[in-house]
Protein backbone atom coordinates (compact mmCIF):
# COMPACT_ATOMS: atom_id res chain seq x y z
CA UNK A 1 0.00 0.00 0.00
CA UNK A 2 0.99 3.61 -0.53
CA UNK A 3 0.40 5.33 2.82
CA UNK A 4 0.64 9.02 3.69
CA UNK A 5 3.78 9.54 5.75
CA UNK A 6 1.90 11.43 8.48
CA UNK A 7 -0.30 8.33 9.01
CA UNK A 8 2.69 6.13 9.88
CA UNK A 9 3.58 5.63 13.57
CA UNK A 10 6.48 4.10 15.51
CA UNK A 11 5.88 2.41 18.88
CA UNK A 12 8.71 3.24 21.31
CA UNK A 13 7.57 0.64 23.86
CA UNK A 14 9.35 -2.19 22.05
CA UNK A 15 11.65 -0.64 19.47
CA UNK A 16 14.13 2.16 18.97
CA UNK A 17 12.71 5.49 19.99
CA UNK A 18 15.99 7.34 19.49
CA UNK A 19 17.11 8.50 16.08
CA UNK A 20 20.49 8.29 14.39
CA UNK A 21 20.11 11.78 12.94
CA UNK A 22 23.13 11.51 10.65
CA UNK A 23 21.67 8.36 9.07
CA UNK A 24 18.25 9.97 8.65
CA UNK A 25 19.77 13.05 6.98
CA UNK A 26 21.91 10.89 4.70
CA UNK A 27 18.82 9.00 3.48
CA UNK A 28 16.93 12.26 2.97
CA UNK A 29 19.79 13.90 1.09
CA UNK A 30 20.55 10.93 -1.16
CA UNK A 31 16.96 9.75 -1.59
CA UNK A 32 16.78 6.87 -4.08
CA UNK A 33 13.54 4.94 -4.58
CA UNK A 34 15.53 1.98 -5.94
CA UNK A 35 17.21 1.63 -2.53
CA UNK A 36 14.17 2.51 -0.44
CA UNK A 37 12.34 -0.78 -0.85
CA UNK A 38 9.22 -0.91 1.33
CA UNK A 39 8.49 -0.20 4.98
CA UNK A 40 7.19 -3.11 7.04
CA UNK A 41 3.97 -2.03 8.70
CA UNK A 42 1.38 -3.49 11.06
CA UNK A 43 -2.23 -2.39 10.74
CA UNK A 44 -3.78 -2.51 14.20
CA UNK A 45 -7.41 -3.30 14.97
CA UNK A 46 -8.22 0.43 15.03
CA UNK A 47 -6.88 0.67 11.44
CA UNK A 48 -3.84 2.74 12.47
CA UNK A 49 -0.48 1.96 10.83
CA UNK A 50 2.65 1.15 12.86
CA UNK A 51 6.12 0.66 11.38
CA UNK A 52 8.13 -2.27 12.72
CA UNK A 53 10.98 -2.04 10.21
CA UNK A 54 12.02 1.14 8.41
CA UNK A 55 11.70 3.92 10.98
CA UNK A 56 14.78 5.80 9.78
CA UNK A 57 13.55 5.79 6.18
CA UNK A 58 10.17 7.11 7.28
CA UNK A 59 11.74 9.86 9.36
CA UNK A 60 13.93 10.84 6.42
CA UNK A 61 10.81 11.42 4.31
CA UNK A 62 9.82 14.28 6.64
CA UNK A 63 12.81 16.22 5.35
CA UNK A 64 11.50 15.87 1.81
CA UNK A 65 8.57 18.09 0.77
CA UNK A 66 8.37 16.23 -2.53
CA UNK A 67 7.45 12.94 -0.83
CA UNK A 68 3.93 12.56 0.50
CA UNK A 69 3.36 8.80 0.48
CA UNK A 70 5.57 5.79 1.16
CA UNK A 71 5.34 2.21 -0.13
CA UNK A 72 4.53 -0.23 2.67
CA UNK A 73 4.07 -3.96 3.09
CA UNK A 74 1.10 -4.05 5.45
CA UNK A 75 0.13 -6.89 7.77
CA UNK A 76 -2.86 -7.04 10.07
CA UNK A 77 -2.23 -7.75 13.76
CA UNK A 78 -4.62 -7.79 16.67
CA UNK A 79 -2.22 -7.04 19.51
CA UNK A 80 1.11 -5.46 20.46
CA UNK A 81 2.65 -8.88 21.15
CA UNK A 82 2.30 -9.91 17.51
CA UNK A 83 3.65 -6.54 16.44
CA UNK A 84 6.70 -6.76 18.72
CA UNK A 85 7.36 -10.32 17.55
CA UNK A 86 7.42 -9.05 13.97
CA UNK A 87 9.90 -6.31 14.95
CA UNK A 88 12.12 -8.82 16.74
CA UNK A 89 12.10 -11.27 13.85
CA UNK A 90 12.85 -8.54 11.30
CA UNK A 91 15.82 -7.28 13.31
CA UNK A 92 17.47 -10.40 14.72
CA UNK A 93 19.94 -10.55 11.84
CA UNK A 94 20.73 -6.83 11.89
CA UNK A 95 23.95 -5.96 13.70
CA UNK A 96 22.89 -2.33 14.21
CA UNK A 97 19.97 -3.30 16.46
CA UNK A 98 21.20 -3.34 20.04
CA UNK A 99 20.67 -6.09 22.59
CA UNK A 100 18.74 -3.49 24.60
CA UNK A 101 16.08 -3.09 21.92
CA UNK A 102 15.94 -6.80 21.13
CA UNK A 103 15.43 -7.43 24.84
CA UNK A 104 12.63 -4.88 25.11
CA UNK A 105 10.81 -6.48 22.18
CA UNK A 106 11.35 -9.97 23.62
CA UNK A 107 9.82 -8.86 26.94
CA UNK A 108 6.72 -7.58 25.14
CA UNK A 109 6.20 -10.95 23.43
CA UNK A 110 6.81 -12.65 26.79
CA UNK A 111 9.85 -14.65 25.73
CA UNK A 112 10.62 -16.70 28.89
CA UNK A 113 14.34 -15.90 28.95
CA UNK A 114 13.73 -12.18 28.47
CA UNK A 115 11.04 -12.17 31.16
CA UNK A 116 13.39 -13.97 33.58
CA UNK A 117 16.19 -11.50 32.79
CA UNK A 118 13.90 -8.52 33.32
CA UNK A 119 12.71 -10.02 36.62
CA UNK A 120 16.26 -10.52 37.90
CA UNK A 121 17.32 -7.00 37.03
CA UNK A 122 14.32 -5.29 38.60
CA UNK A 123 14.37 -7.59 41.62
CA UNK A 124 17.79 -6.22 42.59
CA UNK A 125 16.85 -2.57 42.06
CA UNK A 126 18.31 -2.08 38.59
CA UNK A 127 16.76 -1.48 35.17
CA UNK A 128 17.79 -2.26 31.61
CA UNK A 129 19.35 0.70 29.82
CA UNK A 130 21.41 1.40 26.72
CA UNK A 131 23.89 3.84 28.23
CA UNK A 132 25.71 4.56 31.52
CA UNK A 133 23.24 5.41 34.29
CA UNK A 134 22.88 5.01 38.03
CA UNK A 135 21.15 1.68 38.73
CA UNK A 136 21.25 0.99 35.00
CA UNK A 137 22.42 -2.32 33.53
CA UNK A 138 23.72 -2.37 29.96
CA UNK A 139 25.02 -5.92 29.42
CA UNK A 140 21.62 -7.50 28.94
CA UNK A 141 22.91 -9.91 26.28
CA UNK A 142 25.36 -11.38 28.81
CA UNK A 143 22.61 -11.90 31.35
CA UNK A 144 20.46 -13.60 28.72
CA UNK A 145 23.32 -16.06 28.13
CA UNK A 146 23.79 -16.73 31.85
CA UNK A 147 20.07 -17.24 32.46
CA UNK A 148 19.96 -19.81 29.65
CA UNK A 149 22.84 -21.63 31.37
CA UNK A 150 21.57 -21.48 34.99
CA UNK A 151 18.83 -19.03 35.91
CA UNK A 152 19.19 -19.51 39.69
CA UNK A 153 22.93 -18.94 39.65
CA UNK A 154 22.53 -15.97 37.30
CA UNK A 155 20.09 -14.42 39.78
CA UNK A 156 22.54 -14.92 42.66
CA UNK A 157 25.47 -13.54 40.67
CA UNK A 158 23.52 -10.45 39.67
CA UNK A 159 22.40 -9.97 43.27
CA UNK A 160 25.99 -10.14 44.48
CA UNK A 161 27.10 -7.60 41.87
CA UNK A 162 24.36 -5.26 43.08
CA UNK A 163 25.59 -5.74 46.67
CA UNK A 164 29.20 -5.04 45.75
CA UNK A 165 28.21 -1.98 43.72
CA UNK A 166 27.97 1.25 45.68
CA UNK A 167 25.00 3.62 45.37
CA UNK A 168 23.65 2.13 42.16
CA UNK A 169 27.08 1.89 40.56
CA UNK A 170 26.98 0.19 37.17
CA UNK A 171 28.85 -3.06 36.58
CA UNK A 172 29.87 -4.76 33.38
CA UNK A 173 28.76 -8.03 31.88
CA UNK A 174 32.39 -9.10 32.19
CA UNK A 175 32.29 -8.77 35.99
CA UNK A 176 28.91 -10.51 36.17
CA UNK A 177 30.09 -13.36 33.96
CA UNK A 178 33.33 -13.73 35.94
CA UNK A 179 31.48 -14.09 39.25
CA UNK A 180 28.95 -16.49 37.73
CA UNK A 181 31.65 -18.68 36.18
CA UNK A 182 33.84 -18.66 39.30
CA UNK A 183 30.96 -19.81 41.51
CA UNK A 184 29.92 -22.44 38.96
CA UNK A 185 33.44 -23.88 38.97
CA UNK A 186 33.47 -23.90 42.77
CA UNK A 187 30.09 -25.63 43.24
CA UNK A 188 30.45 -28.19 46.01
CA UNK A 189 33.70 -26.57 47.15
CA UNK A 190 32.75 -23.08 48.35
CA UNK A 191 29.95 -20.56 48.17
CA UNK A 192 31.68 -17.34 47.18
CA UNK A 193 28.40 -15.45 47.38
CA UNK A 194 28.17 -15.63 51.17
CA UNK A 195 29.97 -14.92 54.46
CA UNK A 196 33.67 -14.05 54.37
CA UNK A 197 33.98 -14.63 50.63
CA UNK A 198 31.27 -12.09 49.91
CA UNK A 199 32.87 -9.65 52.35
CA UNK A 200 36.14 -9.96 50.47
CA UNK A 201 34.43 -9.25 47.15
CA UNK A 202 32.68 -6.22 48.66
CA UNK A 203 35.99 -4.90 49.96
CA UNK A 204 37.52 -5.34 46.51
CA UNK A 205 34.70 -3.21 44.98
CA UNK A 206 33.47 -3.33 41.38
CA UNK A 207 36.41 -1.25 40.06
CA UNK A 208 38.82 -3.54 41.93
CA UNK A 209 37.33 -6.69 40.40
CA UNK A 210 37.33 -5.02 37.00
CA UNK A 211 41.04 -4.21 37.44
CA UNK A 212 41.81 -7.80 38.50
CA UNK A 213 40.11 -9.09 35.33
CA UNK A 214 42.11 -6.68 33.17
CA UNK A 215 45.35 -7.83 34.81
CA UNK A 216 44.52 -11.48 34.23
CA UNK A 217 43.63 -10.81 30.60
CA UNK A 218 46.97 -9.05 30.14
CA UNK A 219 48.86 -11.98 31.69
CA UNK A 220 47.21 -14.74 29.64
CA UNK A 221 46.77 -12.68 26.50
CA UNK A 222 43.05 -13.26 26.07
CA UNK A 223 39.69 -12.64 27.69
CA UNK A 224 36.63 -14.75 28.34
CA UNK A 225 34.53 -15.95 31.26
CA UNK A 226 37.08 -18.49 32.49
CA UNK A 227 39.87 -15.90 32.54
CA UNK A 228 37.57 -13.58 34.45
CA UNK A 229 36.71 -16.36 36.88
CA UNK A 230 40.43 -16.93 37.53
CA UNK A 231 40.78 -13.22 38.35
CA UNK A 232 37.93 -13.47 40.86
CA UNK A 233 39.58 -16.56 42.35
CA UNK A 234 42.81 -14.61 42.80
CA UNK A 235 40.87 -11.88 44.61
CA UNK A 236 39.36 -14.46 46.95
CA UNK A 237 42.73 -16.12 47.59
CA UNK A 238 44.62 -12.91 48.29
CA UNK A 239 46.72 -13.31 51.49
CA UNK A 240 45.01 -16.63 52.36
CA UNK A 241 46.86 -19.77 53.44
CA UNK A 242 44.07 -22.14 52.46
CA UNK A 243 43.51 -21.25 48.86
CA UNK A 244 40.49 -22.09 46.74
CA UNK A 245 41.07 -23.82 43.42
CA UNK A 246 38.94 -24.99 40.54
CA UNK A 247 38.33 -28.68 40.02
Amino acid sequence: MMIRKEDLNIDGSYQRDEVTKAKVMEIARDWDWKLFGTLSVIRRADKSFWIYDGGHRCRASYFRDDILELPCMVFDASDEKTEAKAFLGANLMKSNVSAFHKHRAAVVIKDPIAVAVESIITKHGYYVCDGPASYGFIAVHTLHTLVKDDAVLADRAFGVCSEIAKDGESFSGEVLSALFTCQKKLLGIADIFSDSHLDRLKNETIPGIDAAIRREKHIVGKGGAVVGAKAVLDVLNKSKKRRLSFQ
Side-chain angles (χ1 to χ4, degrees):
M1 298 174 62
M2 293 298 291
I3 301 176
R4 292 190 310 165
K5 61 187 180 183
E6 60 264 31
D7 290 337
L8 292 165
N9 306 284
I10 298 173
D11 192 333
S13 70
Y14 65 82
Q15 61 172 297
R16 289 174 285 184
D17 50 9
E18 84 280 4
V19 179
T20 306
K21 188 172 182 179
K23 183 63 176 177
V24 170
M25 297 308 295
E26 179 186 349
I27 295 170
R29 184 182 62 251
D30 302 324
W31 192 274
D32 187 339
W33 283 112
K34 296 187 297 298
L35 302 178
F36 187 89
T38 59
L39 306 180
S40 298
V41 174
I42 288 292
R43 178 167 49 193
R44 293 182 178 178
D46 64 1
K47 304 305 179 184
S48 60
F49 297 106
W50 296 80
I51 298 170
Y52 67 86
D53 188 33
H56 277 71
R57 283 173 284 158
C58 181
R59 289 182 174 104
S61 72
Y62 279 93
F63 292 92
R64 303 278 307 211
D65 292 336
D66 58 329
I67 295 169
L68 303 178
E69 296 181 322
L70 298 171
C72 303
M73 286 291 292
V74 181
F75 304 89
D76 290 315
S78 57
D79 55 33
E80 189 187 44
K81 180 178 178 181
T82 303
E83 195 175 314
K85 188 174 182 179
F87 165 80
L88 188 59
N91 287 284
L92 277 176
M93 299 305 291
K94 294 183 179 180
S95 60
N96 64 330
V97 179
S98 69
F100 167 73
H101 292 100
K102 290 178 182 178
H103 170 75
R104 284 208 310 183
V107 169
V108 171
I109 67 172
K110 293 182 169 49
D111 172 80
I113 297 298
V115 170
V117 166
E118 187 77 13
S119 177
I120 288 171
I121 293 170
T122 56
K123 170 184 173 182
H124 297 291
Y126 279 71
Y127 68 96
V128 181
C129 65
D130 58 352
S134 181
Y135 291 101
F137 182 67
I138 299 173
V140 67
H141 176 72
T142 297
L143 187 52
H144 271 250
T145 301
L146 300 184
V147 167
K148 287 177 186 176
D149 186 350
D150 187 330
V152 174
L153 186 57
D155 184 8
R156 292 195 70 205
F158 193 95
V160 165
C161 283
S162 69
E163 285 189 59
I164 299 170
K166 300 182 185 301
D167 301 320
E169 176 183 28
S170 62
F171 51 89
S172 66
E174 196 169 40
V175 168
L176 175 63
S177 182
L179 289 168
F180 174 95
T181 304
C182 186
Q183 179 55 67
K184 189 169 186 178
K185 286 181 166 293
L186 290 172
L187 286 176
I189 300 172
D191 181 1
I192 67 168
F193 296 160
S194 65
D195 304 328
S196 61
H197 298 306
L198 178 56
D199 290 338
R200 185 172 286 262
L201 292 172
K202 286 181 178 179
N203 289 335
E204 193 70 21
T205 73
I206 292 294
I209 296 171
D210 239 335
I213 294 172
R214 288 197 303 273
R215 284 194 299 271
E216 189 66 24
K217 286 164 64 176
H218 180 73
I219 291 169
V220 301
K222 63 178 182 178
V226 175
V227 172
K230 176 60 169 58
V232 171
L233 191 69
D234 289 344
V235 168
L236 294 169
N237 283 332
K238 195 182 299 181
S239 303
K240 290 184 69 173
K241 292 182 178 180
R242 296 184 62 183
R243 300 169 64 84
L244 296 170
S245 62
F246 297 147
Q247 289 180 322

